[in-house]
Amino acid sequence: MDYIVIKGCKLMQKVLSVFHMGSSYPGKVALKCNKSILKSLSDKYKVILVTGTNGKTTTASILAKILRDSGYPVIHNATGANMLPGITTLFIAHESDKEKKYAVIEIDEANVPLYTSIAKAEYIVCTNIFKDQLDRYGEIYTTLRKIKDGIKKLPNIKMVLNGDEPLFGDIEGKKVYFGFNQNPHSYREEKSNVEGQFCVKCRAKYDYEFYTYNHLGKYKCPKCGYKRPQLKYYVSNINIKDDDHVNFKINDTIFIEANIGGLYNVYNILAAAAVAMEIGVKPEILKKSIKSYKARFGRTESFMYDNKEIKIILVKNPAGFNQGLMIPTYNKEDKCGCFILNDDYADGRDISWIWDVDFENTFTDYNNIFVSGSRRYDMAVRLNVAGYNLHCDDICDTIDMLVEKIKKCDNCKYVYIFSTYTAMLSLRKVLAEQNIIEHSW
Amino acid sequence: MNINIYYMYYDLLNVYGDRGNVLILKNVLNQCGINCDIKYITINDYFDYKNCDILFMGGGQDYEQITVGEDIIKNKLSNMQKYIEDGGAGLYICGSYQLLGKKYVAADGRKINGAGILDIYTEKGDKRYIGDIVIQSEFFNSKLVGFENHSGRTYINNYSPLGKVIYGNGNNGNDGSEGLIYKNTICTYLHGCCLSKNPEITSFLISSAVLKKYNVQFDVSIEAPLLMKAKNYIIDRYSKQSVESK
């Protein structure tokens, strides 16, 4: 019976994929027929789950690349379909592959316990937990509980955890931690508006030797002594060269050069490297593989358009947006900033979170600023309170109008586009219609 | 003139973008030529109510709200009570609104004692109210808009509500009321952040604060075409919807 279901769904997946559709639907049908299909499909793989609020996509795709470059066959849900149906679809698509080794699975936090109650995994990587679309996900402690529940179901799973994340310090089981040593970008003083700074054990406020960003850092509870665990993999000598080049050392010995920007991506690289080293990947391969990694799908991907370099930065929550806003500050050239805010379900219906973004302290000298998206006026009000001086002319009712504005920006070499998820899809569609980028599916 | 804004529990009640209200108050005060200092205070800190001109508290998660509830009762209660009863201007959103009342039952059923400064209480509801909200405020003679996200059902006894619900749920989903207004205290479930689309409340808080401190009638006129467009976008979205559904 399962055999027929799998073959049927596989056929469906093949047909749908011709039309660039169906990254989730076949899996949904298969799971409806029999949930344990996921177990039998995934059994032949060493499954590596990658979860957490921010950095899942980038961490998983760097890890998949490292493992491929190491010569292993790897399957990976690169389209971002990270719930059970999407994950099941991935396994269905590769059901008849001859060689099966690693499955690098980006997984939505709430889906972790759903997955581990059906199927096994060898590793789980947890990046961080930030406030994120509270209209959908609820509180950070709810998210934490779901991840912990998922881990409990697989007592032998090996955990690779962000040690700078205070929420992960007391997860029980086999685990290694990665994190940051003090660096020129870390800071001591608390920034206003940081969640999760109160002890998970006794509710007292942590003391930080330093923060890396948001509530990540070297924390210690003054009341009960709960503190950042020993790091097995740590980063030092960070050098952010510009907005898409960074180099640093892992464990003081392995020199890493990467062509992606931002401090948060150093975490993503470190997380992927930690898993790879646990598996036994050699430092030479690691270095080479990371150096040739290119950003994708709104994760600071860039392309040329009309003699301007356009960079798209997907924004979903305050912690990620704050990190994204740092990127143009490393670039001293003439630039323009675009902010596109939608409030569809996938973006989060509540746009209040833009007020938790620290535009004030990342003020950037843009030559031009434009806003668009269904909640463009909210975005404009937010930016004006932060000291930007937007006028009605800078507000684009449609994405096409925004693209026209960008075209006319003769004084800018760089264009940074900060966009929520559905707005990014509309933007990509407009750009693809003008043959500026390729259709992505 | 100088106005001190006290942003209380800035590090605990800070997950729904409510801090924007403080940013907006400062921005508008400065536009009016009034100097503004923001004082950040949290658990264990003393609330120097005599020095406070506008008190602001936001919404938080249940985990943090328990810590705040305990701290209010232990360290801040009598000064907050004096401040509110004496006509101190204040804006209390969502979680802090609930905590001014006598009790609050969290989503998981835990009972949290509130400050009891207002004779109101909050029960736990089965369904979380999440979505845009539009209300008609008699006090301000205008519509107010925001985004609500709460499982608590608040019952306000004989207090005046901030407004009547046109679209959304409000205090409890039953009696059609949203928020409350008592002396110069405004309580509401409106996130958004609230003042980013409701300049009426901004003007009220500032003019109340100036009147109390300097005994001057100060008319705050906020020129904000973009802000009104942001507000009308939400009003139009739901007026169209209610016309269609009829």
Side-chain angles (χ1 to χ4, degrees), chain A residues 36-48:
Chain A
S36 66
I37 276 180
L38 180 57
K39 180 176 164 48
S40 56
L41 284 168
S42 64
D43 246 4
K44 294 194 180 70
Y45 290 94
K46 287 178 186 287
V47 173
I48 304 168

Side-chain angles (χ1 to χ4, degrees), chain A residues 52-55 109 127-134 137-140 143 162 165 167 194-195 213-216 264 267 317-320 323, chain B residues 61:
Chain A
T53 307
N54 287 350
E109 301 88 287
T127 58
N128 48 54
I129 301 181
F130 300 128
K131 54 188 170 189
D132 182 29
Q133 302 185 10
L134 298 172
Y137 294 122
E139 309 191 341
I140 57 176
T143 307
N162 186 341
E165 168 58 89
L167 296 168
V194 171
E195 75 280 14
Y213 75 92
N214 206 277
H215 63 251
L216 306 181
Y264 62 107
Y267 267 115
N317 50 44
Q323 287 298 299
Chain B
Q61 312 176 90

Side-chain angles (χ1 to χ4, degrees), chain A residues 107-124:
Chain A
I107 183 165
D108 170 80
E109 301 88 287
N111 277 253
V112 173
L114 306 178
Y115 182 92
T116 58
S117 63
I118 302 171
K120 281 190 290 190
E122 178 121 347
Y123 288 95
I124 183 165

Side-chain angles (χ1 to χ4, degrees), chain B residues 8-9 47 49 55 57 68-69 71-88 90 92 95-104 112-122 155-157 159 180-187:
Chain B
M8 203 187 278
Y9 303 115
F47 174 43
Y49 70 102
L55 177 56
M57 288 166 62
V68 170
D71 186 71
I72 290 182
I73 292 168
K74 201 172 132 202
N75 298 315
K76 314 236 175 11
L77 182 54
S78 72
N79 284 2
M80 274 177 75
Q81 188 145 27
K82 282 176 204 152
Y83 181 80
I84 288 173
E85 290 300 338
D86 198 26
Y92 309 85
S96 52
Y97 169 22
Q98 296 167 341
L99 285 171
L100 288 189
K102 289 189 164 155
K103 65 159 189 179
Y104 160 65
I112 300 172
N113 285 321
I117 295 170
L118 301 176
D119 181 18
I120 61 169
Y121 63 96
T122 301
Y155 294 91
I156 61 168
N157 292 322
Y159 291 98
L180 70 76
I181 182 157
Y182 169 70
K183 297 189 174 177
N184 291 327
T185 290
I186 291 180
C187 294

Side-chain angles (χ1 to χ4, degrees), chain A residues 4-14 26-27 29-30 33 92:
Chain A
I4 299 167
V5 172
I6 291 171
K7 289 294 175 196
C9 290
K10 180 156 189 184
L11 183 66
M12 182 186 348
Q13 183 269 329
K14 279 197 164 162
V29 174
C33 296
I92 289 171

Side-chain angles (χ1 to χ4, degrees), chain A residues 131 199 203 205 355 378, chain B residues 11 14 19 62-63 197:
Chain A
K131 54 188 170 189
C199 184
R203 295 177 186 277
K205 191 169 182 174
W355 293 92
D378 284 275
Chain B
D11 51 357
N14 65 346
R19 82 191 259 274
D62 282 347
Y63 185 85
K197 287 179 279 296

